[in-house]
Amino acid sequence: MSRCATVSRSLDEPVSGTAATAATWLLLEQPGPWGDKALTSSHLDSALGRALEAAADGTGVRIALIRRPGRHADPGPPPVRQVYAAHTVPGRVWLHSAATRDPRRLLDLDFAGLGAGDHRSFGAALGGRPHQGDPLALVCTNGKRDRCCALLGRPLATELVASGVRGVWEVTHLGGHRFAPTVLVLPYGYAYGRAEAHTVKEALHGVQQGRVVVEGCRGCSAWERPGQAAELAVRTAAGEYRAGVLSVVRTEGTAARREVTVAHADGRRWRVTVAQGASLPPRAESCGAAVPGSPARMDVLDVRELRTTALAS
């Protein structure tokens, strides 16, 4: 049987506009094996996992479990767990870290506030502080969710660590198994598909320079998928690769055809026409899919910079 990632690559399915959507990521260390729905099917207490899912629902916060790359025999509950929270909306980006002996403390967080970019509850509940270390590279490796993530993601994570890259974690789910190996880079929240070690290293180096790497980029998680595709198209058209200077400020039109307005911090604006269609021919969206699907794809039809007169109208 062909793997979903192999089929997607052979069909040259575009990766732009396919990133998971999350204004804020909340990451909790959980060693050992993970199941399909890791928050409730790992060695994290399942009642806690369900409570965290309910608390985050509709807040703009996406929760994932992380673990150190390597073998994952069950070592028992970790005495201290690493926790990260990252807000990815340009102009208000932050990455904070904490350590806790009791993961139930995460229920004391203000999830609505975190989703809106307010990190105060992360400090109050967990003693969180601004992260002082390297940027994070989260590599999806959850083979129980899709085998491509394990077969392609785990070797990538291992290679990155072996070559001296710091800030690498395995993560439970980033969406888009067919683009494995998939990687999320924080704090800016840009995701990458069909990632290779050199791309991840360049993306991490870019973060340290305040720059976004667009090669293999699926989009910024702060935006819905049409906005992800539009922002990347503006970066390419304008040659603008600085992080934090572009924002999606308006999306209009129908589901099939969106007019997305992208604004620059210096006042410039672009209108980007994005067509949403079905990927053909039908293909497995994941290795476990029983029926072939036609996943949505975002095609940028036009990028035009708006003049002052157009902005005023």
Side-chain angles (χ1 to χ4, degrees):
M1 179 185 295
S2 296
R3 298 199 301 264
C4 65
T6 303
V7 173
S8 176
R9 186 185 291 268
S10 69
L11 293 173
D12 198 25
E13 184 179 355
V15 302
S16 176
T18 67
T21 301
T24 301
W25 291 83
L26 179 62
L27 308 168
L28 171 64
E29 183 178 4
Q30 177 58 57
W34 295 332
D36 180 7
K37 297 182 178 179
L39 275 178
T40 54
S41 57
S42 68
H43 290 178
L44 181 71
D45 179 71
S46 59
L48 173 59
R50 287 191 293 272
L52 288 170
E53 287 179 334
D57 186 40
T59 65
V61 176
R62 187 179 177 109
I63 306 175
L65 302 182
I66 57 174
R67 64 190 177 194
R68 302 283 184 182
R71 299 186 64 183
H72 301 300
D74 181 19
V80 178
R81 300 170 191 256
Q82 186 68 42
V83 188
Y84 295 101
H87 189 63
T88 64
V89 176
R92 294 182 288 148
V93 169
W94 49 261
L95 171 61
H96 285 207
S97 62
T100 184
R101 295 180 179 273
D102 183 2
R104 291 173 296 180
R105 296 294 300 274
L106 272 67
L107 293 175
D108 295 331
L109 295 171
D110 174 7
F111 282 85
L114 283 176
D118 184 347
H119 52 67
R120 287 177 294 180
S121 71
F122 191 75
L126 298 168
R129 296 288 186 271
H131 177 61
Q132 300 298 322
D134 295 279
L136 305 184
L138 308 172
V139 184
C140 187
T141 63
N142 190 355
K144 293 295 184 181
R145 194 161 184 104
D146 191 280
R147 59 178 178 163
C148 283
C149 295
L151 292 173
L152 301 174
R154 290 192 66 188
L156 175 61
T158 300
E159 179 182 356
L160 289 169
V161 171
S163 64
V165 178
R166 294 177 293 187
V168 179
W169 292 85
E170 297 185 11
V171 68
T172 47
H173 184 47
L174 297 177
H177 320 295
R178 63 194 185 279
F179 301 119
T182 60
V183 180
L184 177 71
V185 175
L186 294 175
Y188 294 124
Y190 285 86
Y192 294 83
R194 304 183 188 126
E196 298 180 2
H198 74 89
T199 303
V200 179
K201 291 176 183 179
E202 186 178 351
L204 290 170
H205 184 60
V207 169
Q208 294 171 326
Q209 297 181 322
R211 179 173 52 85
V212 175
V213 171
V214 300
E215 178 191 354
C217 191
R218 300 175 62 193
C220 176
S221 74
W223 315 126
E224 298 294 330
R225 292 182 178 181
Q228 294 172 10
E231 188 227 2
L232 291 175
V234 169
R235 287 193 176 280
T236 300
E240 177 56 89
Y241 302 111
R242 287 175 292 171
V245 299
L246 294 180
S247 296
V248 175
V249 296
R250 183 181 302 168
T251 301
E252 302 171 304
T254 65
R257 187 182 178 96
R258 305 285 179 86
E259 297 291 333
V260 182
T261 303
V262 178
H264 195 289
D266 65 10
R268 287 180 291 163
R269 292 195 173 201
W270 292 261
R271 188 157 294 156
V272 184
T273 304
V274 181
Q276 178 174 325
S279 297
L280 297 174
R283 79 291 307 275
E285 295 186 54
S286 66
C287 289
V291 179
S294 299
R297 57 180 285 164
M298 304 294 158
D299 291 304
V300 173
L301 304 181
D302 184 48
V303 179
R304 57 194 182 280
E305 186 173 352
L306 300 177
R307 304 297 181 187
T308 305
T309 53
L311 292 173
S313 62

